[in-house]
Amino acid sequence: MDKYGIIGFPLSHSISPQIHNLAFKTLKIDAQYEKFKIDPSDFENAISYIKTRGWKGFNVTIPFKERIIALLDEIDPISAEIGAINTVKVSGNRWIGFNTDYLGFMRPLENDLNNINSALVLGAGGAARAVVYGLLEKSNIKNLIIANRTKSRAEKLLQSLKNTIKVNIDIIDLNDVYKPDIPINLIVNTTSVGMGALKEETPVKILKKFNNSIIYDLIYNPKKSKLLQLAQAQGCKIINGLPMLIYQADESFKIWTDKHFPEMVINNFLS
Ligand code: NDP
């Protein structure tokens, strides 16, 4: 039996094992996907242990998407530019890193791309890197604003994506989100504000002028974050992080097995 897994901390809420194991079962692939929680202070030791598990591939989630890079033997060029890895393929004893988050993020937007000229991305962490790369490479946006609590982190993000940037990009403080005077078609929350202990919070308040925007929150637990609740009440189209989660998993699965998820697997989680 082939083995696959996910590393991260915490991992208790991860549904990746359910998603991948259903796909293996449906496609009659003799494989199992397991969780492996790693305490960040024990990362290097835990990685040595993982090398003995015989995994053919694994996912990497918070907080190791950047830290894993130093341990890879090879990295896909796009993923190197994004600077965050969520998928590792084990080939012999070589670890090859990929980012499938940017593809997963873009899939739910495919039908709206013609209407998106300007976007506001809240946050500048690992997920924001994939979001910004996806928007720059796979949409026709002309303007992009990145708003982050820590401005220097947003500047670092732009620095590493400099070869991909062909549009006007502004960096602002999260508190200045009310100031942009261009119409925004898409607002993406990539901050963790809205989940866990911050479940009752929103990263920004929505103004009237955001009425026609699509509001996309990467959070999927809760299914409808406070931000999405407010946006829906104002008539905005809303998208949560569940489709992104399923589609990034689908792209990882393709890297490992050369097969996409059967439709039934996607429907099982998205309908
Ligand atoms: P990171 O830790 O790399 O980044 C967190 C971001 O949130 C930073 O921009 C940080 O700002 C900001 N932030 C955290 N707390 C606050 C706060 N109290 N006020 C304002 N800003 C805050 O995490 P990731 O980028 O990896 O993940 C971010 C979110 O995206 C998580 O909710 C995660 O679950 C979700 N996600 C969803 C995926 C999906 O498939 N749906 C895939 C990947 C992530 P600062 O730089 O100032 O610290």
Side-chain angles (χ1 to χ4, degrees):
M1 177 185 286
D2 291 336
K3 285 196 221 150
Y4 296 84
I6 180 166
I7 60 169
F9 187 88
L11 269 185
S12 48
H13 296 299
S14 172
I15 60 166
S16 293
Q18 280 120 286
I19 301 169
H20 287 284
N21 284 329
L22 181 61
F24 288 137
K25 195 171 158 200
T26 311
L27 289 170
K28 298 191 168 47
I29 296 174
D30 188 21
Q32 180 113 39
Y33 183 106
E34 60 191 12
K35 282 185 199 175
F36 190 77
K37 186 173 77 177
I38 295 180
D39 191 306
S41 64
D42 195 35
F43 185 65
E44 273 74 24
N45 278 339
I47 288 290
S48 305
Y49 171 72
I50 281 182
K51 295 235 175 196
T52 69
R53 297 285 299 160
W55 284 353
K56 289 191 78 178
F58 59 96
N59 287 122
V60 182
T61 189
I62 294 177
F64 303 126
K65 287 184 182 180
E66 291 163 52
R67 207 163 159 190
I68 192 74
I69 292 176
L71 301 169
L72 298 172
D73 298 293
E74 196 180 324
I75 181 162
D76 154 68
I78 287 179
S79 312
E81 202 170 332
I82 294 172
I85 294 297
N86 73 320
T87 304
V88 175
K89 178 179 177 160
V90 182
S91 178
N93 54 7
R94 290 175 61 73
W95 282 10
I96 310 168
F98 299 85
N99 184 299
T100 66
D101 281 334
Y102 81 100
L103 295 168
F105 165 72
M106 291 305 291
R107 290 263 284 267
L109 287 176
E110 272 165 9
N111 293 333
D112 295 300
L113 287 181
N114 289 339
N115 303 321
I116 300 174
N117 294 311
S118 52
L120 167 65
V121 174
L122 308 172
R129 285 172 171 269
V131 165
V132 170
Y133 183 88
L135 289 173
L136 292 175
E137 276 297 296
K138 301 211 168 278
S139 81
N140 300 317
I141 56 161
K142 313 272 181 301
N143 290 292
L144 179 64
I145 302 170
I146 303 174
N148 197 43
R149 182 178 60 175
T150 312
K151 217 169 165 182
S152 58
R153 201 168 177 194
E155 281 158 357
K156 216 168 141 199
L157 184 159
L158 280 201
Q159 181 59 24
S160 52
L161 289 181
K162 61 179 185 301
N163 295 335
T164 310
I165 298 170
K166 298 168 200 94
V167 303
N168 177 51
I169 303 190
D170 293 311
I171 295 176
I172 61 173
D173 191 278
L174 210 48
N175 295 319
D176 292 337
V177 156
Y178 313 106
K179 290 184 187 158
D181 48 10
I182 54 167
I184 305 280
N185 313 119
L186 170 71
I187 299 173
V188 187
N189 177 36
T190 77
T191 77
S192 36
V193 181
M195 62 182 280
L198 302 175
K199 201 169 78 191
E200 294 302 321
E201 314 253 328
T202 57
V204 289
K205 290 189 183 63
I206 303 178
L207 294 186
K208 266 213 163 78
K209 68 178 174 189
F210 293 157
N211 252 357
N212 293 323
S213 308
I214 298 169
I215 312 286
Y216 189 157
D217 197 332
L218 265 47
I219 292 171
Y220 52 87
N221 184 14
K223 270 190 170 169
K224 218 181 269 177
S225 65
K226 201 87 187 179
L227 178 72
L228 292 188
Q229 290 174 31
L230 288 173
Q232 193 172 44
Q234 290 200 18
C236 299
K237 173 173 176 176
I238 60 168
I239 305 173
N240 75 7
L242 193 57
M244 174 175 172
L245 180 77
I246 305 300
Y247 292 127
Q248 64 75 30
D250 177 43
E251 299 290 348
S252 299
F253 195 82
K254 174 81 169 64
I255 287 169
W256 297 327
T257 67
D258 216 21
K259 291 184 170 66
H260 276 294
F261 284 164
E263 195 111 320
M264 175 279 219
V265 172
I266 291 173
N267 292 341
N268 184 69
F269 293 95
L270 293 187
S271 53

